[in-house]
Amino acid sequence: MENVLSILFCLSLFYVVVTSRVKAYVTVLRFQGIILSVLLVIPFIYNFSIFGIILPATLLLVKVFLIPGYINKVILDLDIKRRIEPPIQQMIFLPLVIATMIIVFLASSILSKITELDVIPFASGFSAIIIGIYLIIFRRKLIIHVCGFLILENGIFLFGTAVASELPMMIELGTLLDIFVVVFLMGIALNRIRGTFAGFEATHLGRLKD
Amino acid sequence: MLEFSIFILIPLASAGLCYLIKNLRVQYAISLFVSTIHLGLSLAVFLGLHHTLLPTFFGVDSLSKFFILILSNVYFWVVLVSYSYLKRPVMPRAEEGKRFYFMLLNFYLAANSAAMLSSHFGMYWVAAEATTLSVAPLIYFYRNEESLEAMWKYLFLVSIGIAFAFIGILLLTLSAKGTSLAGGQLFFWEFIRKAGQLNPIWLKASFVFIFVGLSTKIGIAPMHSGDIDATSNAPSPIAALMSGSLRLTALLGVLRIFQIIRPTSSFEFAKTLLIIGALLSLFVAFVFMFRVNNYKRLLAYSSVEHLGLISLGLGIGGLAFVGALYHAIYNSITKVVLFLMAGNIHSRFKSREVDKIRSVLNVLPKTGWLFILAFMAISGIPPLGIFFSEIKIFEGILFSDKPYLLAVVMFFLLFIFVNMGKIIFTMLYKKGDDDKLQSGVEKFELTHFVAIVLLILLVAIAVAAPDKVNLNIIDIAKDFGVKL
């Protein structure tokens, strides 16, 4: 089951790479949030406890409703152009992403011989981390950078479930809160950037240098 | 529970109060009170007068005692001068920033104390990220284009850096698979005790991710750029706070994983990585000192240089390790003085560009002289602190297995000193065309008082070398298995 969900997660990454609609990013974020929440719920299907359900519920709330909802609001409020003009073509970006994924999956399967780990969630998580960074590097729009950062965070989360580390609930909630506040502050900053720079692209941010 | 309240809960509560209370003077009084008891308790804990008992996920050891005292000290002086700083005239749009200033400062104190006292990697991560969140809006205090860009870059780069550190923490869990640590909690002390069992490949990967990730916050090259922009565009007290304490909070995270890696076969790898980061930082400071034209950026590069020196000392080990810890104290104190004086210059000349600042010694004699003294301190002129810590670091390098590094370091430091001196003395002595600025006698302000006290403190610690400080540093060195 974890493997199926991880593969769905990978497919969502491909969608992000080929789409040129800003809104599609928000949809993908919601979709990934649902996958991660389901992944957290699976252990409780046979062994239900009210206490254990708090974390998946919070994750669902933050990653499926609050953050994507907030980003949607920012896009609407700021009237960001709905299409992105990528500085590198989709046809170059997609092979790059596929090549990266192949390398990550091969490397993970080699590493799984040293340590026991779930190859598919591990590699999917790591791919998302790298693709998040690609989005930040190869896209100009700042709102896409925020989405890239969130995809990276989702990747880390999936990666974490593969590593099977069980952080205490309080700390997991703390990390979720931190991420939410980061996005919130980025939203406020974007709002100000519109007023100050009259644009939302990274090329506008070039004043500070030596 | 009392100490937990004073270190974390009361600052949090006072952040809430500062949000509710609109009067700036009351906010200041509350913050000053909180910072005073925080400093008092940190001092008591450091001197061993108070035995601390903290809840799960928190704990005190010689390293956290040392770092929290540095934080408390810097924070106290920064809060003390903040009110007079906020009273200075600013652009009307910056007025809005004042409302949240003390709230964010208190939140910063709570988050930073939590990071320093945490005994669990997860807790450390949450708290370290919270410090970024509290500082980012403070960088945007002036509400202008530069500060907005600086805030965006800082928030973004550091958040990604911290995300990398989180990957490092997950890899650390992976390194514990199949050992008695598997499935347990990520407590530092448990990992340190059983470090020998960890899988070396994952441990190395974990160190790389944590070090590179936290470098964005420490300001180690090549991840330093967000930090430079932030420090140079934040208001001076905040820049002092960042250079004096926030960088060390991130360094603490690196030290924790460094402590875990020490008894393992991967130790040499970690040391090499620290040394490479350090040399790159010195190189970056060396290069940019030639071309920098903004005195606050100059000071920010100086922070990169000194954090580089600290990392170098930690990486070399032995006496250099002890020197690096002393350097952390001296650098934090000196940076507060430098940034506060730079703030005075900025509020008079309304510019951060070196070319627009002339004859500071005539226009602002008190600030000018204190700036010279602080510059001498940061350059390692005796008896001002840094001289002694640098000597220890250099001696450590000389007697290590890599003595040739000393030549490289000396070369970089010499040029950094010459270029920094050239810029600062031009600002202080060179006569300007504008005579309007020449008139007037500078009033003795609170910032001058604080600068004098801190410079005296710098000399006092260096010359008197209090036993408690020395013993604590020796204890830290012992925890890290450093042979002296």
Side-chain angles (χ1 to χ4, degrees), chain B residues 45 63 207 292 337 344 370 438 472:
Chain B
V45 169
L63 191 62
F207 184 80
V292 70
V337 181
N344 286 354
L370 287 168
Q438 306 289 331
N472 193 74

Side-chain angles (χ1 to χ4, degrees), chain B residues 2 5 11 22 70 122 148 162 174 217 221 250 259 269 276 303 305 319 324 332 409 418 428 484:
Chain B
L2 174 75
S5 306
K22 297 283 177 266
I70 297 182
L148 180 56
I162 292 264
L174 204 55
K217 222 168 151 70
Q259 199 175 356
F269 170 80
I276 292 174
S303 285
E305 172 208 346
L319 192 58
S332 82
V409 173
V418 170
L428 293 172
L484 294 171

